[in-house]
Amino acid sequence: MMMIHRFFQADLEPPAWLYAHLARRAVFSRIYRFWADDLVRILPPEGRLLDVGTGPGYLLDHLAAKRPDLKLVGLDPSLAMLQQGRCVAGFSFQTPFLGVVGRAQVLPFAPQTFHQVVATFSLHHWRQPAQGITEILRVLKPNAKAWIYELNPDASLVDLRCFARNLKLPYLLVYPVYRATTWHSALGVADFTAIMKASAVSKWHLKPAHHIFWQLEIEKSLNAEITGEG
Ligand SMILES: C[S@@+](CC[C@H](N)C(=O)[O-])C[C@H]1O[C@@H](n2cnc3c(N)ncnc32)[C@H](O)[C@@H]1O
């Protein structure tokens, strides 16, 4: 019930232009850099990566800057969001990724297409998250992984202080913004467990990442059925 409540609230999303404006701030850029650093460490040369719910695609811009060899695809149901990434001169005027309109629940890609799938701040928006996870497994190559990042509503005060220090932000600013954001768009352990159970995924691991986030890792085993893990 709690999760349904959060998913309902998550629909109170800012318009694409406002989200893109906020996501271009230095604070977001530093967060995208954390995630991009995680990803470039494991992606093979010329690896294919899908970002589900990419929004304006700024994570992909950071990835492309670090690893121009990668083949990057950003998917989002909102064309307006995707367009935000393309029309802002000076930031991502020449977007270095393929933007695709679509939803996590029905990914328009062939099975076993990607070396890695990522989703950041997006899972809590999906209306059928288990179906999205099943689709992600279908499009992953065998032995490949998906990483899903969400805000962790249970970060400790020590973690919040470390996060503020890493981002060179005042703690007294970070604390209320974190609390307000987790109120409507963060997932707890029980939420992830319910989603994984509904999608019948056997290999998954949830761990705290970068002080205030979760990183949900889902692995597709070598002999997994293309329709799901099971
Ligand atoms: C908070 S934004 C995050 C954007 C980007 N990942 C980032 O980190 O900046 C959430 C995004 O999820 C997208 N979204 C909502 N429902 C979705 C679905 N069913 N499948 C894929 N993306 C979805 C929204 O359009 C929005 O762009």
Side-chain angles (χ1 to χ4, degrees), residues 13 19 32 35 52-56 75-78 81 102-105 120-122 125-126:
E13 224 190 315
Y19 184 80
Y32 291 133
W35 296 331
V52 181
T54 194
L75 172 131
D76 203 280
S78 163
M81 275 285 196
R103 292 184 181 276
Q105 295 91 314
T120 62
F121 285 147
S122 185
H125 289 280
W126 305 354

Side-chain angles (χ1 to χ4, degrees), residues 10-205:
D11 281 339
L12 302 171
E13 224 190 315
W17 66 266
L18 180 57
Y19 184 80
H21 175 76
L22 295 172
R24 284 196 297 276
R25 304 298 100 196
V27 174
F28 266 82
S29 286
R30 284 182 215 143
I31 295 171
Y32 291 133
R33 274 203 291 273
F34 292 151
W35 296 331
D37 285 342
D38 291 347
L39 289 162
V40 295
R41 273 197 282 274
I42 66 154
L43 277 160
E46 309 211 339
R48 237 177 273 141
L49 173 134
L50 169 67
D51 182 10
V52 181
T54 194
Y58 296 151
L59 172 64
L60 298 179
D61 287 332
H62 284 275
L63 274 171
K66 287 172 189 286
R67 287 278 304 276
D69 60 296
L70 297 173
K71 312 271 182 283
L72 303 170
V73 180
L75 172 131
D76 203 280
S78 163
L79 178 62
M81 275 285 196
L82 287 167
Q83 282 173 335
Q84 285 297 324
R86 278 156 208 269
C87 63
V88 180
F91 188 80
S92 59
F93 190 58
Q94 291 176 309
T95 307
F97 64 90
L98 175 68
V100 175
V101 176
R103 292 184 181 276
Q105 295 91 314
V106 194
L107 294 176
F109 307 107
Q112 307 190 11
T113 301
F114 296 98
H115 296 93
Q116 175 85 30
V117 175
V118 68
T120 62
F121 285 147
S122 185
L123 175 69
H124 65 271
H125 289 280
W126 305 354
R127 290 201 171 269
Q128 295 145 307
Q131 176 64 27
I133 299 295
T134 305
E135 274 292 272
I136 286 174
L137 278 170
R138 183 182 63 78
V139 302
L140 273 177
K141 289 182 178 292
N143 277 348
K145 288 175 180 163
W147 284 348
I148 295 180
Y149 292 90
E150 285 290 333
L151 257 187
N152 175 355
D154 302 318
S156 68
L157 294 184
V158 173
D159 276 322
L160 276 175
R161 280 187 199 285
C162 290
F163 179 77
R165 201 176 316 122
N166 282 359
L167 267 68
K168 299 183 177 59
L169 289 171
Y171 173 71
L172 288 179
L173 175 70
V174 167
Y175 183 83
V177 172
Y178 166 80
R179 279 279 159 247
T181 313
T182 54
W183 178 72
H184 66 84
S185 45
L187 300 180
V189 176
D191 299 322
F192 284 106
T193 306
I195 295 169
M196 291 300 107
K197 201 170 165 199
S199 54
V201 173
S202 56
K203 283 176 118 177
W204 62 279
H205 179 57

